[in-house]
Amino acid sequence: MHYLAENYTMSGLLKFSMKKTALVIIFCSLTSIYAFSQSNQLLHSAKPNIVLFLVDDMGWQDCSVPFWNQVTPFNKIYHTPNMQRLADEGMKFTNAYATPVCTPTRTSFMSGMNVTHHGISSWTSPNKNNNTDELDDQMSPAEWNLNGLSPVPGIEKTMYATTFPSLLKKDGYFTIHVGKAHWASMGTPGTDPKNLGFIVNVAGHAGGHPQSYLGEDNYGNITGKTQPQAVPDLESYFGSATFLTEALTKEALNALETPIENKQPFFLSMAHYAIHVPIMADKRFVQKYYDAGMDSTEAKYAALIEGMDKSLGDLMDYLKQKKVDQNTIIIFMSDNGGLGLVPPRRGVAQTQNLPLKAGKGSVYEGGIREPMIVKWPGVVKPKSIANQYVIAEDFFPTILEMAKVKNYKTVQTIDGKSFMPSLKNEKYSDTTRELIWHMPNKWISKDGPGINYYSAIRKGQWKMIYSMRTGKKELYNLVEDIGEQQDISNAYPQKVKQLSNILSNQLRRWNTPMPYFRATNKKVPLPDELF
Amino acid sequence: MHYLAENYTMSGLLKFSMKKTALVIIFCSLTSIYAFSQSNQLLHSAKPNIVLFLVDDMGWQDCSVPFWNQVTPFNKIYHTPNMQRLADEGMKFTNAYATPVCTPTRTSFMSGMNVTHHGISSWTSPNKNNNTDELDDQMSPAEWNLNGLSPVPGIEKTMYATTFPSLLKKDGYFTIHVGKAHWASMGTPGTDPKNLGFIVNVAGHAGGHPQSYLGEDNYGNITGKTQPQAVPDLESYFGSATFLTEALTKEALNALETPIENKQPFFLSMAHYAIHVPIMADKRFVQKYYDAGMDSTEAKYAALIEGMDKSLGDLMDYLKQKKVDQNTIIIFMSDNGGLGLVPPRRGVAQTQNLPLKAGKGSVYEGGIREPMIVKWPGVVKPKSIANQYVIAEDFFPTILEMAKVKNYKTVQTIDGKSFMPSLKNEKYSDTTRELIWHMPNKWISKDGPGINYYSAIRKGQWKMIYSMRTGKKELYNLVEDIGEQQDISNAYPQKVKQLSNILSNQLRRWNTPMPYFRATNKKVPLPDELF
């Protein structure tokens, strides 16, 4: 009010003395410049809000939205109308990739670094210095960064990196994290999202899955039974029938009120614990899947998916109701492939992502290909489809470009590549780019397809798989053989050699952790050392 | 940058065409008005930052700063140089009051309501609908609001109220809570400070004390041992030697970075868990108290105090370093008297607050009189001393007045009275005001002095104590007898009658919960019904 009064006085001055017009103009102009330069709100109004809606362990087929060139049986089982709504308003990415398990993907998002570079190649334990690798007769563990990501240097077994939320925050964004974090172990700074650039954190910590999805279980916080996976920050829902997915959604909408009221641009990391194990019944949705005759576990899985989808719808409705939907980008993504282990899943193991091969933990497509959708009113064409391949570390430069953050400084080299060209043109194509996966870890006690000690590389239509245990290299043509059924390495030795070289050079460049052979105590060879 | 460019263009226009001067002036003037009205930063710069530094269970004598007219033996035992520094820069309140236990005081702060009005008369259990009253042969429990404070109506056994942090937040303040909350039970919205007006919450929840002060104990978060009092949100310190007081201080300073960088006014509720039980050794400070020959428990208690005092110093240093100290008000306060129970304290029970009578839980001065200091550069005179009596509910209107929040709406009537007159004039005196305490609860299993089923009223120098169990009324002259040693009720029957009437009318006005006699199932009489 004070400043308004000052301006009214200024108007009075104008009337009083036209001789002083020039002076007044200069003063007025200067105050405008000053006010504008001070006015975050005006500057910010040009900045889009950004939501990264991240689902945990969701496979490429775990929805009713087809990401393939045909509707699959899985697309018919699951119900995700809000994903469809998002796809109708935005762009589907049919070749979007994560890493085979959660922490590496999440740290790639945050750091813009490829897994070969950040060295956080498997999931981090809640407990510091605790290697989650299973024991192996033949191999001893790689020296990976098993404590995860760190915003400060000098923390043992972590990768020190500048996170994109910290850059957004510095740029004036109100940054919110809700849900699963799993970026680092307890006892290190990276365990707390507030140390990674988030102003507000709800329920994000070192835990990689919820101890329970049920409010009736206090999400695991029960005296004598509480484990490190008990979900924090949700005491107000304790004892209620609020399913975790719903509680997190409510918390996210509550947290959004502050930036929306202050007209401050926001970044929301809406990171659901769903649909990770424990597969528990979301009573709001499960009955119809039971009624459809599904196996009870798979019915619960389908309900977890639908509950997650409702969250997306609630969020979209809220943004619209608050009249910020037209200035809000929503990025839908998952962090690895759908779980193919039986148990806890039911049915035939490693068939849960068909037509893709294998599932979570694998470098085959079932372990890494993700449902991804981007809605960006005015920029991204509704109902568009991008077939260009993209990967987790690309989110870092893309999101900063979306937010118009320029000339930012990071302590790390950014490996990701902005997918803005695709967003602006669904036909954009770059077949020269190389994507690399690397998991020198033993994720499960018994090897599975593409699971435990594998690397992989994709370039254009070609994908090569490298087994560290056996030295075997497989080659697939993904355009012709999305299911990776026909190993054509013998037919294209030059292609195998070329991809081996690229992969090996990247592993050399970052001195990427590799496992050791127990017999010799030597690191496994790089793929190009085996010709 | 866009808007700057626009203004430069405007300057170009001025040079180009002086004929259009008037039009430009108007446009320029309008843009100034618009920009100014939009510019939170400029508007905010006139608002002071406010820190409420609240210590738990700290008695009036638990420091080296004398709040009495002489230096006591306790003042010589404890070391609180930063409290002294704050007092040297601000105003000591020698007659500042809380309620006998924590939750009632904390809810009075938040709601501006007297305990007779909000009906949250004892500490709330972490667990919903769990009455913390001890069993009693003679009395059955009052129907108090045992689930605490609620920001929404319709929650059973809660008081619905508008909190002052929510009004500050609405006014553009960046509101932060760090430390003990204890405003409501789990399973109700009031358990989460984010629901009570705080944008950021660290470590505040339904718990009223820390399960452990030690990072080595993960502050209580240990699989199989975690209780509801395990301190949340501090995973990054797990396993470290960081004492809880230090961890909370670091978190507070981290959280302050956002508003300070954005030049947004802030309210920080720095609510230490210290110096509440469990009395644990803060290794940074305890040795010198051991060396001084103190009992080990009392040495730990003294170290808890000194650790709290260091936190105050760190905060003051930080504000200075960030150059916001001159625009930041610091209010130092505690929530009830020092604990006088033995065990867990050592020595003679109920002597820990001498010269005051009794301690925590009591309506005698030892249970309710608090160390209070206010620093406000430019407003409050350094080294000043206010003897005017004030009480917890006064903080609500005072803080909103400090923040220049006017014409605010609350769902409740505010009982507190701003102590701004004292802040502006240490000699300000109002002896007509009545302060009322009411604890119709059984706090401990065996009655103590002024403990279990007591009300009290102060007006001017007079204080009357009412025992609900016996109907006995005591009268003291606090100016002549701060230790409440001489019951002069027989000498001043009219004063007793007058105070009984005032107290009873207030209890009638709010239909304040009272306990029942088991024998008759009738409520205990109001004090004025016993003449």
Side-chain angles (χ1 to χ4, degrees), chain A residues 6-28, chain B residues 21-30 33:
Chain A
E6 197 169 31
N7 276 280
Y8 286 130
T9 305
M10 205 183 296
S11 301
L13 267 180
L14 289 178
K15 287 175 197 158
F16 179 72
S17 168
M18 286 303 286
K19 284 183 190 172
K20 292 180 180 166
T21 301
L23 189 63
V24 170
I25 291 167
I26 292 165
F27 175 60
C28 169
Chain B
T21 302
L23 187 65
V24 170
I25 291 166
I26 292 164
F27 175 59
C28 169
S29 203
L30 284 173
I33 290 168

Side-chain angles (χ1 to χ4, degrees), chain B residues 1 28 102 165 215 388 424 461 514:
Chain B
M1 287 307 291
C28 169
C102 48
Q388 174 60 40
K424 291 184 173 170
Q461 63 196 317
M514 302 292 280

